[in-house]
Amino acid sequence: MESVTKTKITVEVLINAPLEKVWEQFNGPAHIIHWCFASDDWHAPAAENDFREGGKSKTVMAAKDGSFSFDFEWIYTKIEDLAIVEYILEDGREVSVQFEQTANGVKVTETFDPEQQNSLELQRGGWQAILDNFKKYVEQN
């Protein structure tokens, strides 16, 4: 019997804020548009979030110069209040986000299946940059 080991990528940040605030700002569309991009020349002009198991959600990610944009869409498969969010991307890849209160702040850990178009390093860097942007947003707002 042949087995295939699926590579997953993990990124994480430690945020100096209360767990409830981190949770709300990660999942609330009014907040997502302010942090869900990897660099200052991109933005998230729109976000919709049907935040429930089975709910479909979408964030529009776009270059600020208008040269490129795409919809990042997913369906929630598991939500445990203040702890875990899991979803499946439109292309079938799985994502798990864990929120853990620690003595030094809230640790947010994202683990996801990579896509095939870009290198693992590029994907890890992009997702880490978005998570770093989230940390900055939460700590400043």
Side-chain angles (χ1 to χ4, degrees):
M1 184 173 188
E2 185 178 340
S3 67
V4 177
T5 304
K6 207 173 193 183
T7 300
K8 292 200 177 274
I9 298 174
T10 299
V11 295
E12 64 183 37
V13 292
L14 188 63
I15 301 173
N16 184 17
L19 178 58
E20 293 79 8
K21 178 181 179 183
V22 172
W23 179 262
E24 168 59 30
Q25 292 189 354
F26 190 87
N27 297 303
H31 296 287
I32 293 170
I33 60 171
H34 296 289
W35 61 263
C36 196
F37 42 90
S39 63
D40 290 339
D41 54 344
W42 280 72
H43 65 145
E48 303 167 12
N49 197 7
D50 183 6
F51 192 60
R52 61 181 176 81
E53 290 182 9
K56 186 172 182 180
S57 298
K58 172 174 79 172
T59 299
V60 177
M61 296 179 163
K64 286 183 178 175
D65 68 6
S67 63
F68 188 76
S69 73
F70 65 94
D71 294 345
F72 191 74
E73 297 184 42
W74 65 95
I75 295 176
Y76 290 104
T77 56
K78 179 179 181 181
I79 297 173
E80 288 183 15
D81 196 38
L82 302 176
I84 296 173
V85 173
E86 293 181 354
Y87 55 90
I88 297 178
L89 296 171
E90 201 174 34
D91 63 8
R93 294 182 294 135
E94 296 177 355
V95 179
S96 177
V97 186
Q98 296 187 356
F99 301 80
E100 178 187 353
Q101 183 68 62
T102 74
N104 299 317
V106 177
K107 185 166 102 172
V108 179
T109 305
E110 287 184 319
T111 303
F112 63 96
D113 295 331
E115 39 91 346
Q116 302 302 313
Q117 289 77 23
N118 297 291
S119 71
L120 297 179
E121 295 77 24
L122 186 66
Q123 292 177 70
R124 182 179 291 109
W127 283 61
Q128 184 67 58
I130 292 170
L131 203 52
D132 290 345
N133 209 27
F134 173 64
K135 170 187 169 70
K136 182 175 143 186
Y137 175 76
V138 172
E139 290 179 350
Q140 292 178 354
N141 290 281

